[in-house]
Amino acid sequence: MSDSQRTDADRIRTLLALEGDEIKANTRLFNADRYDAVKAVGEDVHERNRTRAREIKEDAIERLPELIHRTRNAVEENGGTVYVADDAADANRYIAEVAEAEAAETVVKSKSMTTEEIDLNEALEEGGLEIWETDLGEFVIQVAEEAPSHIVGPSLHKSREEITELFEREFDPDESLDSAQKLTAFAREFLGDRIDNAEVGITGANFVMAESGSIALVTNEGNARKCASIPDTHVAVAGIEKIIPSVAELEPFAELISRSATGQEIPQYLSLLTPPVDTPTIDFNRADEPGSGAGDEERDFHLVLIDNGRRAMRQDDDLRETLYCIRCGACANSCANFQSVGGHAFGGETYTGGIATGWEAGIEGNDVAEEFNDLCTGCSRCVNACPVKIDIPWINTVVRDRINRGKDPGFDDLLVDGLVPDEEESGTPLRKRFFGNFETVAKLGSATAPLSNAVASTGIARKAMESVLGIDARRDLPAFERTTLRDWAGERKSRVADPDRRVALYPDVYTNYVQTERGKAAVRVLEALGCEVVVPDVGGSGRAPLSQGMIATAEAKAADAASALLPYVEEGYDVVVVEPSDLAMFRREYEKLLPAETQAQLDEGSYEVLEYVYGLLENGADADAVPAGDGDGVAYHSHCQQRTLGLETYTETVLDRVGYDVLTSDVECCGMAGSFGYKSEYYDLSMDVGETLAEQFEPEVDDRTVVASGTSCMEQLDALLLPGTRHPVELLDPAGR
Amino acid sequence: MSEGGAVTGSVTEFRQSLSDLDTPTTVVPPDELGATLADVIEAPAVGAELPFDDLSLADAPVTLDPSPSQLRAAATGVTGSRMGIASLGTVAVESRADGDEFVGLYPSRHVVVIRASDIRTDLSEAFDWLRAEFAAGRRSFVLATGPSSTGDMGALVQGVHGPEEVHIVIIRDNE
Ligand code: SF4
């Protein structure tokens, strides 16, 4: 393990121990509530809102310069001021000037990630101002002098007991604050006094409406309302991307934001304010005069719109989507890795979770994004969670690719060059190229098996792999088969005289070289159901290099795979895929890697193997041709990308139809997928994530056969549970009858 | 009748949604508003005059135009609302010169008076209403749903910077 890998491993281990439990409990609760809330409103309605929200954002970012202009006109017409700040320093300077003009001593703030981004508090404190965060979570973080660990719940890594300890230490209250009620009451009073006495109130803005110069604020506590209305001067700070055309476009977001964030139908307070508001100013110095102290002060309003890298992101075809983000945190909550380590590992200077890579790369730079970018395995569980349909894994991949370039100079001289015949520029780290070129390794390993397996498992080899490639020695390695699936199939005569359908079974790298049994089972099952099956000569889908951020190599692989498979499609073959992550390549990622028409043709012609079996049975194939389940129990773990594509139900239905009693796992993911779990620094995290699934299946293993659709899931399960795991298609194999 | 002939949301559904939020409701005819308020108010109470021509807080046991110390000392704040959402139990509170915002935020009990005919079915109808209000130049509202709450202190607690309890008084339409 290199030094930096060791530091990462230590850091992750520490966070797992200190913050893991709270993060896990809270993010999983949000996530489960989100599923429930979506179901309650209806998937169709939710989907319509998402589509509409995305359209609005696409259009608004497209028209951003015009919308900024309209916002300025509207706010000024209302009597407020708009300032567009180029960067953090510019924004902070402006806000400090506003405070100075008000002769402010105390500033109260409502939670705002944008002010977190520009480090506003530090800047104002340097100028001698007293700043108080009034959102309770943010207040806890302020008192603890920590950074938020979650976009929506900044302090959700802290337990009630820790907060009690913190508050008692810092504030030395008269009575113990040993319950959530007491803590809340204490904070309410403490912050209430400060809000009443503050000269300036600062809020964020979840949305800015250009036509009327209004802002929308989403809160549950009511602190944003107080910060906006009690001090005479209100400063709202928002990224320029928060602008939408008018109140009419707010509707889908009002539907989506809380449901995605916390599973609420609507926040406690959705404020639509068009400042300066008509609410009278309040003067606590004239405490006994009616009419709020007959405050005769003018209300003052400043809208500070922050660029800080956003206009450049808008010009960047791959990062642009980041600007559609409404900061709901659903991508974090739906992420198995985030559920374990939280935002202190999975986050940058400001933003946390799946979309943090996009934000940090755009606002801070690739070096900040690099610190946590590898925690995204591309599992895609966040894709359906995101209310504006941002392709978060793609953003992570693009940034990874950019980070890769120029990392490992001098690598070209190394002997291992032959192992990595890829399209990458020199500089891509050796370790990434090793994983990215796993196909070459597999080819070689298979050609020299079983010797290669024996060598690879020796202590010396494992040590070398750990020190050169960072492959954790505690991990079992895949064992390569000497006879590949394609060799096996090539020697086989077709068993189907008059086929109903013709299938080109895609020999993904694992099925072809490692898990050949599941490939053979697939061939036999398809034949039994009346299909002619061929296993074409085609290489990897590009999944492995893509995972490492090696986009050029992935593109080349995609082009090769498509040109090898499409002739079959054109001749009327259906392409059937065993490994879900490869099918996901055809369906999702190839949109980014191939010409649209090619992608569409391959997508339409391809099926996941159990999806295909389901189709055959629906169309009259005889289920009796495969062994019956006889009521036996199955514990089934679908694959993350398969779930994102909505495919797991086919496996469930088929197994159910042939007579199995199916229990499906409902954890987000079983472990850090694929190559990630092999990396030394992520070993503990991978085990921690996998633990959840193991816990769910552990009580079942005596009564149920454990099956999983994905290679990495099987590997992870094999590492966690005895006995071993099988692919669902193996249960249907007539040879296993 | 509401603007544009919008379908009126049902009082029953509104009350059900509010009851899911642990928010009590009372339904009364217009002439019983004063007596009902006297019942649901915990003294001392402050209020912002109701935004309805035919209903007033003048005779209710509330202080209108309160001073800062009255605001802070009040146990109850009474405001009106011109729009409610049946499916959510939401009420719109307008930021007006009468100080609705403060009256609805400082006291630990917020009593909201709303007319049955102003209840909309769902958020989508509420947005029809909001658009019309914006067009008419009334552009600052809070859509409030239940009491303020937080989970930040390790358990769900009601009553943070806003009220701890909300009571909705629904005025039945004149037949
Ligand atoms: S990327 Fe999507 S899911 Fe993640 S915070 Fe932004 S809007 Fe929410």
Side-chain angles (χ1 to χ4, degrees):
Chain A
M1 220 190 296
S2 77
D3 283 350
S4 74
Q5 282 158 17
R6 188 158 301 131
T7 336
D8 282 349
D10 288 346
R11 206 163 66 95
I12 287 174
R13 207 172 299 124
T14 311
L15 283 171
L16 282 172
L18 289 181
E19 303 184 350
D21 289 350
E22 296 300 324
I23 294 275
K24 229 173 253 162
N26 286 314
T27 50
R28 287 196 187 141
L29 186 68
F30 282 160
N31 200 44
D33 287 353
R34 174 175 60 82
Y35 281 122
D36 289 347
V38 169
K39 206 175 282 163
V41 71
E43 312 255 352
D44 295 355
V45 174
H46 187 67
E47 203 47 38
R48 259 202 315 275
N49 287 330
R50 289 176 78 214
T51 305
R52 182 80 191 108
R54 172 144 189 127
E55 281 167 8
I56 292 168
K57 274 295 189 184
E58 279 179 2
D59 169 68
I61 296 300
E62 174 75 32
R63 294 197 286 137
L64 190 56
E66 171 210 330
L67 290 181
I68 294 176
H69 184 71
R70 281 171 64 190
T71 304
R72 183 190 294 280
N73 287 345
V75 171
E76 284 175 359
E77 205 169 294
N78 296 338
T81 313
V82 173
Y83 186 74
V84 180
D86 288 334
D87 55 22
D90 189 14
N92 289 339
R93 182 192 48 75
Y94 179 82
I95 298 166
E97 279 171 16
V98 169
E100 198 178 327
E102 300 297 327
E105 288 171 17
T106 307
V107 174
V108 285
K109 281 182 65 201
S110 161
K111 179 176 179 288
S112 143
M113 290 309 293
T114 314
T115 61
E116 205 80 56
E117 172 188 325
I118 60 174
D119 290 324
L120 176 65
N121 291 15
E122 286 78 353
L124 294 183
E125 273 160 2
E126 268 169 34
L129 283 164
E130 200 177 295
I131 322 286
W132 290 103
E133 292 290 347
T134 62
D135 171 275
L136 263 44
E138 198 71 31
F139 177 55
V140 168
I141 291 300
Q142 182 183 23
V143 175
E145 296 182 20
E146 286 179 21
S149 62
H150 188 280
I151 293 183
V152 171
S155 69
L156 57 67
H157 59 289
K158 284 206 173 313
S159 68
R160 202 273 298 156
E161 288 76 11
E162 285 171 285
I163 304 173
T164 297
E165 204 190 298
L166 172 72
F167 277 23
E168 290 185 353
R169 189 175 65 227
E170 292 297 322
F171 300 112
D172 194 19
D174 296 336
E175 66 160 335
S176 172
L177 303 175
D178 56 359
S179 71
Q181 278 75 13
K182 286 186 203 164
L183 283 168
T184 304
F186 174 83
R188 170 174 50 215
E189 204 174 303
F190 183 92
L191 293 170
D193 285 346
R194 274 134 192 102
I195 296 173
D196 288 353
N197 292 317
E199 291 82 9
V200 176
I202 297 179
T203 68
N206 293 83
F207 302 93
V208 174
M209 291 159 260
E211 188 183 276
S212 55
S214 316
I215 61 171
L217 293 169
V218 174
T219 72
N220 286 332
E221 298 180 357
N223 57 316
R225 297 174 62 192
K226 280 197 159 173
C227 290
S229 61
I230 293 171
D232 302 334
T233 300
H234 174 197
V235 181
V237 185
I240 49 176
E241 83 284 3
K242 298 277 184 70
I243 307 179
I244 55 175
S246 76
V247 67
E249 285 78 17
L250 183 64
E251 188 179 335
F253 298 103
E255 288 279 4
L256 289 166
I257 193 163
S258 291
R259 203 170 280 130
S260 305
T262 52
Q264 290 171 279
E265 272 186 288
I266 188 168
Q268 253 84 16
Y269 301 116
L270 173 63
S271 303
L272 279 65
L273 302 177
T274 309
V277 290
D278 290 338
T279 302
T281 55
I282 189 163
D283 188 348
F284 287 97
N285 293 325
R286 295 195 278 179
D288 295 321
E289 283 192 41
S292 309
D296 47 10
E297 279 289 320
E298 281 281 296
R299 277 197 175 275
D300 218 355
F301 174 66
H302 299 261
L303 175 63
V304 181
L305 293 172
I306 294 185
D307 176 357
N308 206 29
R310 288 165 172 81
R311 281 188 270 223
M313 289 165 81
R314 181 172 168 267
Q315 303 295 334
D316 183 325
D317 285 343
D318 292 307
L319 284 191
R320 184 180 307 125
E321 281 193 41
T322 309
L323 299 172
Y324 305 164
C325 171
I326 60 171
R327 317 285 219 287
C328 69
C331 52
N333 300 331
S334 61
C335 171
N337 290 332
F338 190 94
Q339 287 180 356
S340 276
V341 287
H344 286 158
F346 201 152
E349 300 274 313
T350 310
Y351 298 98
T352 55
I355 197 63
T357 284
W359 282 121
E360 296 289 334
I363 283 159
E364 300 284 345
N366 289 342
D367 47 334
V368 174
E370 184 184 359
E371 291 167 18
F372 60 93
N373 170 270
D374 271 351
L375 283 167
C376 170
T377 66
C379 87
S380 78
R381 291 301 297 149
C382 53
V383 168
N384 294 355
C386 176
V388 272
K389 303 191 185 183
I390 297 175
D391 194 343
I392 301 163
W394 178 253
I395 292 172
N396 278 289
T397 304
V398 169
V399 173
R400 189 167 300 161
D401 186 302
R402 292 176 187 178
I403 292 167
N404 283 345
R405 290 162 199 282
K407 271 287 151 187
D408 240 354
F411 161 67
D412 289 342
D413 304 334
L414 287 178
L415 269 176
V416 269
D417 208 9
L419 266 182
V420 289
D422 56 35
E423 304 288 319
E424 300 307 298
E425 287 174 18
S426 74
T428 302
L430 169 59
R431 180 199 212 190
K432 298 217 162 178
R433 292 178 78 173
F434 175 80
F435 283 117
N437 287 283
F438 182 70
E439 187 179 355
T440 314
V441 179
K443 230 180 248 171
L444 204 73
S446 164
T448 55
L451 183 67
S452 55
N453 297 323
V455 170
S457 58
T458 62
I460 300 175
R462 291 313 304 257
K463 273 225 180 77
M465 279 190 253
E466 191 164 275
S467 65
V468 180
L469 298 167
I471 296 175
D472 201 285
R474 289 165 290 189
R475 276 281 184 186
D476 286 337
L477 294 178
F480 300 111
E481 297 286 348
R482 182 72 183 234
T483 308
T484 65
L485 173 68
R486 212 163 41 232
D487 295 344
W488 174 84
E491 314 233 306
R492 214 175 131 84
K493 296 217 167 48
S494 177
R495 313 276 155 114
V496 185
D498 181 20
D500 296 325
R501 302 198 70 96
R502 294 188 298 164
V503 167
L505 185 78
Y506 174 67
D508 65 88
V509 174
Y510 262 91
T511 311
N512 195 42
Y513 296 105
V514 183
Q515 310 241 350
T516 52
E517 282 314 314
R518 69 180 191 182
K520 294 176 191 169
V523 172
R524 289 188 289 254
V525 170
L526 294 171
E527 284 180 349
L529 296 173
C531 303
E532 176 202 314
V533 185
V534 297
V535 179
D537 185 8
V538 47
S541 68
R543 169 63 69 190
L546 192 81
S547 294
Q548 305 302 326
M550 293 157 56
I551 295 177
T553 307
E555 233 161 43
K557 296 263 176 204
D560 287 351
S563 61
L565 289 172
L566 284 178
Y568 286 92
V569 175
E570 275 153 16
E571 271 183 55
Y573 281 82
D574 300 315
V575 174
V576 171
V577 184
V578 179
E579 173 58 36
S581 61
D582 286 305
L583 182 74
M585 282 295 279
F586 299 172
R587 292 221 170 143
R588 273 180 38 77
E589 281 84 3
Y590 276 15
E591 282 179 12
K592 298 285 202 307
L593 303 174
L594 291 178
E597 236 167 86
T598 313
Q599 188 271 333
Q601 210 187 343
L602 186 56
D603 176 2
E604 274 158 37
S606 311
Y607 306 85
E608 193 264 343
V609 61
L610 270 284
E611 176 192 21
Y612 195 71
V613 168
Y614 170 85
L616 293 172
L617 294 178
E618 281 292 286
N619 287 296
D622 181 12
D624 290 339
V626 300
D630 293 330
D632 287 355
V634 167
Y636 172 52
H637 180 64
S638 183
H639 177 276
C640 43
Q641 280 146 352
Q642 192 184 14
R643 286 174 71 193
T644 297
L645 295 171
L647 295 173
E648 93 256 48
T649 111
Y650 295 114
T651 303
E652 290 171 332
T653 311
V654 169
L655 293 180
D656 181 71
R657 195 174 287 182
V658 301
Y660 283 101
D661 173 38
V662 186
L663 169 93
T664 306
S665 69
D666 58 7
V667 301
E668 280 306 349
C669 184
C670 62
M672 293 188 70
S675 58
F676 294 84
Y678 287 102
K679 294 182 180 174
S680 302
E681 64 272 40
Y682 300 136
Y683 180 80
D684 294 289
L685 173 57
S686 161
M687 287 297 132
D688 190 71
V689 172
E691 213 40 61
T692 0
L693 176 62
E695 270 165 29
Q696 194 178 5
F697 277 1
E698 196 100 72
E700 309 291 339
V701 286
D702 290 339
D703 305 325
R704 293 175 185 272
T705 310
V706 178
V707 294
S709 300
T711 306
S712 39
C713 320
M714 290 173 89
E715 287 179 350
Q716 179 77 359
L717 277 164
D718 286 345
L720 291 159
L721 288 174
L722 289 168
T725 315
R726 305 172 74 194
H727 189 281
V729 81
E730 293 180 72
L731 297 186
L732 306 176
D733 185 356
R737 204 190 286 263
Chain B
M1 196 53 213
S2 49
E3 293 95 329
V7 194
T8 302
S10 106
V11 171
T12 317
E13 191 190 355
F14 188 51
R15 297 186 75 188
Q16 182 57 51
S17 303
L18 284 160
S19 126
D20 294 344
L21 299 162
D22 282 329
T23 297
T25 48
T26 316
V27 186
V28 294
D31 52 0
E32 282 173 30
L33 175 63
T36 306
L37 285 178
D39 275 353
V40 299
I41 280 170
E42 191 189 324
V46 294
E49 188 51 284
L50 300 179
F52 311 117
D53 292 341
D54 48 349
L55 294 168
S56 164
L57 293 179
D59 301 328
V62 299
T63 306
L64 297 177
D65 271 332
S67 68
S69 20
Q70 283 169 325
L71 258 181
R72 274 177 166 158
T76 305
V78 185
T79 69
S81 168
R82 292 190 292 111
M83 198 274 292
I85 308 174
S87 63
L88 299 168
T90 304
V91 290
V93 178
E94 192 172 354
S95 301
R96 299 181 307 149
D98 296 82
D100 304 51
E101 182 82 352
F102 295 151
V103 168
L105 269 175
Y106 274 91
S108 70
R109 178 178 300 180
H110 183 196
V111 175
V112 184
V113 180
I114 186 168
R115 299 184 300 197
S117 56
D118 286 338
I119 298 168
R120 266 47 185 187
T121 305
D122 53 22
L123 193 61
S124 159
E125 276 192 18
F127 265 90
D128 291 342
W129 179 87
L130 278 169
R131 278 192 292 272
E133 288 291 308
F134 266 60
R138 292 182 293 269
R139 295 173 178 164
S140 292
F141 297 92
V142 178
L143 302 187
T145 309
S148 79
S149 78
T150 186
D152 287 343
M153 293 298 174
L156 196 68
V157 179
Q158 302 201 316
V160 194
H161 296 286
E164 205 174 321
E165 33 172 24
V166 176
H167 192 119
I168 311 277
V169 179
I170 304 163
I171 309 292
R172 200 180 292 148
D173 299 335
N174 277 323
E175 267 105 42

